[in-house]
Amino acid sequence: MSERDQDAPDILLDSSASRDDGEQAPRGAVVPTQEYLPERIYLLPIHNRPFFPAQVQPLLIQRRRWEETMQRVADTPHHVVGVAYVGDAGVDQLGHEDFPTIGTAVKVHKAQGEEQQIQFIAQGMRRFRIVRWLSKTPPYLVEVTYPKEPVDAEENEARAYAMALINGIKELLPINPLYGEELKQYLNRFSPQEPGPLTDFAAAITSAKGPELQEVLETLPVMARMQKVLPLLRKEIEVAQLQSEISEQVNAQMQERQREFFLREQLKVIQKELGISKDDRENDVDTFRARLEHLTVPERVQTRIDEELDKLSVLETGSPEYGTTRNYLDWLTSLPWGVTSDDQLDLKHARTVLDRDHDGLNDVKERIIEFLAEGTFKGDVGGSILLLVGPPGVGKTSVGRSIAEALGRRFYRFSVGGMRDEAEIKGHRRTYIGAMPGKLVQAIKEVEVENPVIMLDEIDKLGQSFQGDPASALLEVLDPEQNVDFLDHYLDVRMDLSKVLFVCTANTLDSIPPALLDRMEQIRLSGYIAEEKVAIAKHHLWPRLLERDRIAKKRINLTDAALRQVIEGYAREAGVRQLEKQLHRIVRKAAVKLLENDQQTVKVSVNNLEDYLGAPLFRKEQVLKGVGVVTGLAWTAMGGATLPIEATKVHALTRGLKLTGKLGDVMQESANIAYSYALGHLGDYGADADFFNEAFVHLHVPEGATPKDGPSAGVTMTTALLSLARNQAVGRPLAMTGELTLTGQVLPVGGIREKIIAARRSDLFEVILPEANRRDYEELPDYLKEGMTVHFAKQYKDVARVVFD
């Protein structure tokens, strides 16, 4: 503030600008005046909306920018200043060219200076037109004229417009009482014979945008001005009516809800007084007690439930402990205590279900029938743990579902693969936020019986982390001696899981902890030969694909020869999952042909199979022949496979053995044993005893990118070395498997079924097996043994006798 301002009072101008009759005009009212109007006036910009003549309204301006202008106005005898609408032009960027030609001359009343702003009441007087700029920099000074406002219409027409404006204003004021009762009284002083001020007032009370109002201000003929203002007024009335309707609807809804709330509260009080209603706590208690009426709850569990119900009845419903206790009781009372389903121990029905759902797997079916027969005499099959072991895609999960259907039991499956938290098995402590029971309790609750069939899928892929060891937690679940009193951490009461039939699945046994594996009865699913895959595709896979895609069977004709070619050339794995994918590809491409070519049927044969599936992924395996080449048999997680082994003499500069083929530690040991045995017994088998003394031998197992390991190739490697030393090839298609000791003993190996299937797949119908595996071979189904010639060997000399006569 300047020195001059510090000495001056806050009111820069005196109050001599009040009306002569002593009545103070209300805010926003129209005040007709005949005051003196100077020819030169100072200018002030306004930004929000134009100021209209005969309008009274407070104005606020920046002190820093316009203080000198206001001081000069105060020094004039008339106290008149011109205000002009400049829109969004910034104060600092404002120039004289931003001012419009027409503005409003106002008289300044009660100007007061604050720290940053100056406030005064502006009384509108007349429109002015800028004739000449006397000062183009603040304070702006202009020379003006006051144009006339002609009524350029007949008296009746102008009167009609004026009456329409008065009626519109009166209609607007009740629904938007912004201007108060004083404006209504002031409005009564207007006369239709003075339409100019009336039109300006009507425009001033609308919420139209600044440019529209400036256009009204610049319209001098009163009739044209009324024609512009009347639509703006009608629009304002419509908006105000809509806002009023919205407010009424909102208020009505709120009142209705309040009314409903009060009525409901009164109804609750009345019902409680009459004893015909209960609060939320009593409802919860009654609900939990009603659940237990038809259950046989063990005494120790019933005691816990009664204690929790007593606690619930005294807790406040809004307390956190109430919610925790209520959830706990909800779980306890939702479990099927004492509810069991009757087992359907009918072997004929079981065979029907297994044969309907599965082709092949005859040994697995027989093992399941034996298991059910034992349960028939025992009267119960609960408490047992079956472990289905086999490659991916052989139907382990579906076998478990078939077992449940054969028994007439409920079935529940969940995967434990990758599970790292033992709380998934045994539940969380109730003290934790979001605590829940374990998967076993959740399964019992969902199936609603105590004796379901529960499948634990992928049990060989259990994880282990800092949160616990789920495999160890499963010991209590699966051990028949312990699961009678299984304790879930959340429930904290003992549950009897001995009636549950657990069925587990795994691809391999290596990663299953021995303590867990010891509690399971193993059933191996070794995979399918081509004939079994053909039957599975015909009876299950192909019909299911067509039904899923809603394509009639007769529209896609897949020949038997084409189906067998799909199996041999595109899906040679032990399971049928890849086979199903290839058949699905055929269905998709056939569907495209049916639609694009408008065909009724499509035939898929051997001749056009490559159009659907491309070139075969597998060619028929050619059995390697020659000196030092012998075919072995191996087991993999995907099933059986042939394993050719080659031996050759590299040079005679030094003796030695080189191994390639990405062999594991066990196979490298087998190769060294075979080399040592052959080196020490060359003379016994008709070879030069000094052959290896000056021979550097290279032993190779083809498909070098595939890791290979396991104790079953010792016999094969020894035969390859002897073939090299004798310079005599194996003269016929022959495969062998077995492990060898340094003394020539042939040790038993595993995976006999898979290896026989692999031999048949490669058209190798003569096989050498260890004598100790004779029982495993004899237990194979007849269709696998048909046409096979099998030699059993105790000592390696038995192998040499068969191979080299």
Side-chain angles (χ1 to χ4, degrees):
M1 184 180 295
S2 64
E3 295 180 358
R4 179 178 178 181
D5 291 332
Q6 291 176 354
D7 297 334
D10 286 342
I11 299 178
L12 301 179
L13 303 177
D14 59 18
S15 57
S16 61
S18 58
R19 296 185 53 191
D20 295 337
D21 56 5
E23 180 180 344
Q24 186 171 347
R27 175 181 178 180
V30 178
V31 184
T33 180
Q34 300 295 332
E35 297 283 353
Y36 165 72
L37 295 173
E39 295 181 357
R40 295 182 178 184
I41 59 175
Y42 291 96
L43 281 186
L44 287 176
I46 53 177
H47 299 275
N48 294 332
R49 50 192 286 130
F51 200 96
F52 283 89
Q55 182 182 1
V56 177
Q57 183 175 328
L59 291 180
L60 207 62
I61 59 176
Q62 286 189 7
R63 181 168 191 158
R64 175 182 62 83
R65 181 85 173 181
W66 308 111
E67 181 179 20
E68 185 177 354
T69 301
M70 291 300 297
Q71 198 61 50
R72 294 193 182 187
V73 172
D75 293 339
T76 62
H78 48 75
H79 301 329
V80 174
V81 67
V83 293
Y85 172 70
V86 295
D88 297 331
V91 176
D92 296 330
Q93 292 81 24
L94 185 66
H96 75 282
E97 65 277 359
D98 296 317
F99 285 84
T101 305
I102 292 180
T104 302
V106 300
K107 192 163 187 175
V108 177
H109 296 269
K110 296 185 178 180
Q112 296 180 352
E114 299 178 359
E115 184 176 352
Q116 299 292 336
Q117 296 170 326
I118 296 175
Q119 180 179 355
F120 63 92
I121 297 175
Q123 176 188 352
M125 300 178 70
R126 285 282 299 275
R127 286 173 173 79
F128 67 80
R129 186 193 301 275
I130 299 175
V131 178
R132 186 162 59 94
W133 283 83
L134 302 177
S135 174
K136 295 184 179 180
T137 58
Y140 297 113
L141 181 63
V142 293
E143 186 177 317
V144 299
T145 61
Y146 300 94
K148 294 183 178 181
E149 304 174 12
V151 181
D152 53 350
E154 295 182 0
E155 182 180 354
N156 291 336
E157 185 178 0
R159 182 182 179 83
Y161 268 97
M163 292 301 297
L165 289 173
I166 292 175
N167 292 334
I169 295 172
K170 289 183 177 181
E171 187 178 351
L172 178 63
L173 289 178
I175 55 180
N176 189 9
L178 182 63
Y179 297 97
E181 193 67 27
E182 293 113 349
L183 286 180
K184 295 181 183 179
Q185 298 174 3
Y186 227 81
L187 187 60
N188 292 331
R189 302 185 181 186
F190 279 119
S191 171
Q193 281 76 24
E194 297 179 352
L198 178 65
T199 307
D200 291 340
F201 174 72
I205 65 174
T206 65
S207 59
K209 295 182 180 180
E212 292 179 304
L213 295 178
Q214 180 65 24
E215 186 178 350
V216 172
L217 184 67
E218 294 178 355
T219 305
L220 298 179
V222 176
M223 191 64 199
R225 196 189 317 159
M226 287 193 292
Q227 291 174 350
K228 291 180 182 293
V229 172
L230 189 57
L232 297 179
L233 188 61
R234 296 309 308 175
K235 182 179 179 182
E236 191 71 19
I237 293 172
E238 292 176 2
V239 173
Q241 288 176 343
L242 180 60
Q243 182 179 3
S244 178
E245 291 175 4
I246 294 174
S247 299
E248 290 177 0
Q249 292 177 2
V250 172
N251 292 333
Q253 291 177 359
M254 293 182 63
Q255 291 173 0
E256 184 67 23
R257 289 178 182 175
Q258 290 176 349
R259 180 172 175 273
E260 288 182 4
F261 173 76
F262 287 124
L263 289 176
R264 289 184 185 277
E265 292 300 317
Q266 291 175 355
L267 181 61
K268 285 181 181 179
V269 174
I270 294 171
Q271 289 177 338
K272 193 170 183 179
E273 291 293 330
L274 295 176
I276 59 177
S277 177
K278 303 170 184 176
D279 58 14
D280 294 339
R281 180 169 51 239
E282 293 174 338
N283 283 332
D284 288 339
V285 172
D286 290 346
T287 300
F288 296 145
R289 292 193 184 279
R291 290 179 182 177
L292 301 174
E293 290 180 358
H294 305 290
L295 301 177
T296 306
V297 184
E299 183 177 353
R300 61 184 183 277
V301 179
Q302 185 64 52
T303 302
R304 174 61 65 84
I305 292 176
D306 292 339
E307 292 174 354
E308 295 296 325
L309 286 174
D310 293 340
K311 183 195 298 184
L312 190 72
S313 61
V314 298
L315 290 172
E316 290 295 330
T317 56
S319 67
E321 190 174 357
Y322 180 87
T324 303
T325 305
R326 186 190 181 285
N327 290 339
Y328 178 62
L329 282 170
D330 186 28
W331 275 102
L332 271 181
T333 57
S334 297
L335 294 175
W337 301 105
V339 179
T340 58
S341 59
D342 297 331
D343 288 338
Q344 191 172 350
L345 298 174
D346 183 355
L347 299 187
K348 184 177 180 181
H349 170 72
R351 287 186 186 276
T352 302
V353 171
L354 291 172
D355 291 338
R356 180 197 67 196
D357 294 343
H358 303 277
D359 286 297
L361 302 179
N362 293 330
D363 52 342
V364 176
K365 294 176 185 176
E366 286 300 322
R367 180 67 185 83
I368 294 172
I369 294 297
E370 293 169 7
F371 174 76
L372 298 180
E374 180 187 12
T376 302
F377 284 97
K378 192 170 58 173
D380 183 22
V381 295
S384 301
I385 307 111
L386 299 181
L387 175 60
L388 304 177
V389 187
V394 295
K396 298 184 292 298
T397 302
S398 58
V399 167
R401 188 175 287 106
S402 297
I403 292 174
E405 187 175 349
L407 283 171
R409 289 193 178 192
R410 303 281 181 84
F411 179 76
Y412 186 90
R413 170 197 168 274
F414 68 92
S415 176
V416 296
M419 186 179 292
R420 294 178 175 271
D421 188 356
E422 69 177 27
E424 295 283 337
I425 303 295
K426 302 189 69 173
H428 305 83
R429 301 286 181 186
R430 270 194 294 159
T431 53
Y432 298 141
I433 295 176
M436 289 186 65
K439 290 286 188 182
L440 275 302
V441 174
Q442 295 179 36
I444 297 295
K445 176 187 176 183
E446 183 166 331
V447 297
E448 299 179 346
V449 291
E450 283 189 329
N451 62 338
V453 175
I454 295 181
M455 171 167 280
L456 307 179
D457 227 347
E458 310 291 352
I459 200 168
D460 58 326
K461 298 177 180 61
L462 273 172
Q464 188 173 359
S465 72
F466 66 93
Q467 294 170 309
D469 183 6
S472 299
L474 278 177
L475 291 176
E476 183 183 356
V477 175
L478 299 181
D479 191 343
E481 300 299 327
Q482 300 182 44
N483 62 13
V484 177
D485 291 323
F486 172 71
L487 181 65
D488 184 90
H489 291 157
Y490 180 83
L491 296 184
D492 203 25
V493 294
R494 300 286 177 177
M495 282 190 67
D496 184 6
L497 297 182
S498 62
K499 300 174 184 177
V500 177
L501 174 59
F502 290 101
V503 180
C504 306
T505 69
N507 296 131
T508 62
L509 302 177
D510 302 338
S511 56
I512 302 177
L516 191 59
L517 185 62
D518 184 58
R519 290 164 168 80
M520 304 178 185
E521 299 182 32
Q522 300 176 25
I523 298 179
R524 285 192 172 273
L525 288 78
S526 303
Y528 303 102
I529 61 175
E531 289 76 9
E532 292 174 333
K533 287 187 177 181
V534 169
I536 293 171
K538 280 185 175 182
H539 301 155
H540 302 284
L541 303 181
W542 187 251
R544 185 170 63 200
L545 288 171
L546 294 179
E547 182 181 358
R548 186 174 66 186
D549 293 342
R550 299 180 181 178
I551 300 176
K553 293 182 180 180
K554 62 182 179 180
R555 300 200 67 183
I556 304 178
N557 179 19
L558 178 64
T559 64
D560 292 347
L563 177 59
R564 185 172 291 275
Q565 177 61 23
V566 172
I567 294 169
E568 293 291 345
Y570 300 88
R572 199 177 282 183
E573 81 288 354
V576 294
R577 192 167 289 140
Q578 187 65 27
L579 174 60
E580 183 176 12
K581 291 179 182 178
Q582 300 300 334
L583 293 177
H584 196 190
R585 287 182 63 189
I586 293 176
V587 171
R588 291 198 302 266
K589 291 185 179 294
V592 173
K593 289 191 175 184
L594 290 173
L595 294 175
E596 288 186 346
N597 302 332
D598 198 19
Q599 297 177 233
Q600 292 299 317
T601 59
V602 170
K603 183 177 181 180
V604 182
S605 63
V606 176
N607 296 330
N608 63 355
L609 184 61
E610 292 191 10
D611 296 339
Y612 294 86
L613 301 180
L617 302 177
F618 303 99
R619 300 292 180 180
K620 191 166 184 65
E621 292 183 7
Q622 298 295 326
V623 178
L624 300 180
K625 298 179 181 180
V627 175
V629 180
V630 181
T631 301
L633 297 174
W635 178 91
T636 69
M638 301 296 290
T642 57
L643 189 71
I645 294 177
E646 302 173 328
T648 184
K649 179 180 177 182
V650 180
H651 57 74
L653 300 178
T654 182
R655 64 182 296 177
L657 177 67
K658 181 179 181 180
L659 303 176
T660 56
K662 202 160 187 177
L663 307 180
D665 293 339
V666 177
M667 283 197 75
Q668 291 184 30
E669 291 180 358
S670 296
N672 287 316
I673 291 172
Y675 180 70
S676 297
Y677 180 80
L679 186 63
H681 297 83
L682 284 178
D684 299 340
Y685 297 107
D688 182 4
D690 298 326
F691 177 79
F692 288 119
N693 292 337
E694 299 177 352
F696 187 86
V697 178
H698 185 173
L699 189 69
H700 175 64
V701 183
E703 297 184 19
T706 304
K708 309 169 189 71
D709 203 4
S712 65
V715 169
T716 312
M717 291 178 174
T718 304
T719 306
L721 293 172
L722 283 179
S723 172
L724 175 64
R726 288 170 56 99
N727 196 27
Q728 179 183 351
V730 180
R732 61 193 186 280
L734 176 67
M736 62 188 69
T737 184
E739 189 52 65
L740 190 67
T741 68
L742 283 174
T743 58
Q745 301 288 329
V746 178
L747 300 180
V749 294
I752 296 300
R753 178 189 172 102
E754 290 86 348
K755 292 175 179 179
I756 294 297
I757 291 175
R760 294 183 67 94
R761 189 185 299 128
S762 299
D763 292 337
L764 295 170
F765 292 97
E766 186 176 4
V767 178
I768 300 176
L769 300 178
E771 176 65 33
N773 289 117
R774 182 187 292 270
R775 180 167 170 264
D776 298 325
Y777 176 76
E778 290 175 351
E779 290 178 351
L780 294 179
D782 293 338
Y783 65 86
L784 285 181
K785 296 187 290 186
E786 183 180 357
M788 296 294 297
T789 300
V790 179
H791 307 279
F792 296 97
K794 289 184 179 180
Q795 301 279 340
Y796 182 75
K797 61 184 180 181
D798 300 330
V799 178
R801 188 180 302 115
V802 173
V803 177
F804 303 115
D805 298 329

